[in-house]
Amino acid sequence: MMKIALGADHKGYALKEKIKKYLQEQGHKVVDFGTDSEVSTDYPDYGMKVAQSVANQEADRGITVCWTGNGMNMVVNKLPEIRGAYALSEDMAKLTREHNDSNILALASKYVEPDLAFRIVKVWLETDFDGGRHLPRIKKFSIHK
């Protein structure tokens, strides 16, 4: 089981709460960086907390949720240790782990219903990095440990 950092803005709050429950039911430890309501907030505040937690190796991986997923993904990728990935499908999640060794997943509450989110998260957490030809590629743009 993993320690997962979780964060969302107001538009991602409801889906974040469902993902948190799902992760806990699967036996993962969840560190919830907020937000804690649907009151309007700024997504960078929560995305950066998740990114810092993963970058500092305080969490194994992170998951962020906002309206489109794009804002959070942009925020987390500001840190060189982070390889944030945006996924709208199980296949996208699988490939971003296999090929890019992503360590933070960005989800879009506007486009991803809870059941699909659970499937995406499951695939993303269970898929290993393939290494091989992919490792030199990701080393070109990130700190890889």
Side-chain angles (χ1 to χ4, degrees):
M1 294 300 114
M2 294 185 205
K3 185 174 181 182
I4 310 293
L6 194 57
D9 66 0
H10 59 288
K11 288 289 200 171
Y13 169 74
L15 183 57
K16 174 190 67 95
E17 290 298 303
K18 290 175 179 152
I19 291 169
K20 178 168 63 173
K21 182 178 177 189
Y22 169 79
L23 290 169
Q24 291 168 333
E25 289 171 351
Q26 301 305 309
H28 298 287
K29 180 174 180 177
V30 176
V31 180
D32 186 346
F33 287 101
T35 190
D36 59 3
S37 75
E38 293 182 348
V39 174
S40 184
T41 61
D42 296 331
Y43 63 86
D45 298 339
Y46 305 98
M48 190 52 70
K49 288 178 184 177
V50 170
Q52 288 169 337
S53 179
V54 174
N56 294 331
Q57 298 180 352
E58 295 162 356
D60 300 306
R61 296 203 200 151
I63 299 172
T64 60
V65 188
C66 67
W67 189 233
T68 67
N70 287 314
M72 285 289 202
N73 197 38
M74 290 177 193
V75 168
V76 303
N77 278 303
K78 295 297 180 189
L79 298 183
E81 301 88 353
I82 300 303
R83 291 172 307 282
Y86 176 71
L88 295 172
S89 70
E90 295 158 85
D91 189 51
M92 287 175 75
K94 182 177 185 281
L95 289 170
T96 196
R97 284 289 308 135
E98 287 178 345
H99 293 191
N100 311 115
D101 196 19
S102 61
N103 53 11
I104 296 183
L105 175 66
L107 294 172
S109 63
K110 180 175 182 172
Y111 305 114
V112 177
E113 295 295 323
D115 287 340
L116 176 57
F118 302 152
R119 293 193 312 271
I120 290 170
V121 166
K122 180 179 182 347
V123 166
W124 185 73
L125 291 174
E126 293 177 354
T127 301
D128 292 326
F129 176 50
D130 279 350
R133 72 183 199 274
H134 304 293
L135 185 57
R137 294 171 182 164
I138 66 170
K139 281 184 174 183
K140 289 182 177 187
F141 69 87
S142 67
I143 295 172
H144 190 271
K145 299 189 185 216

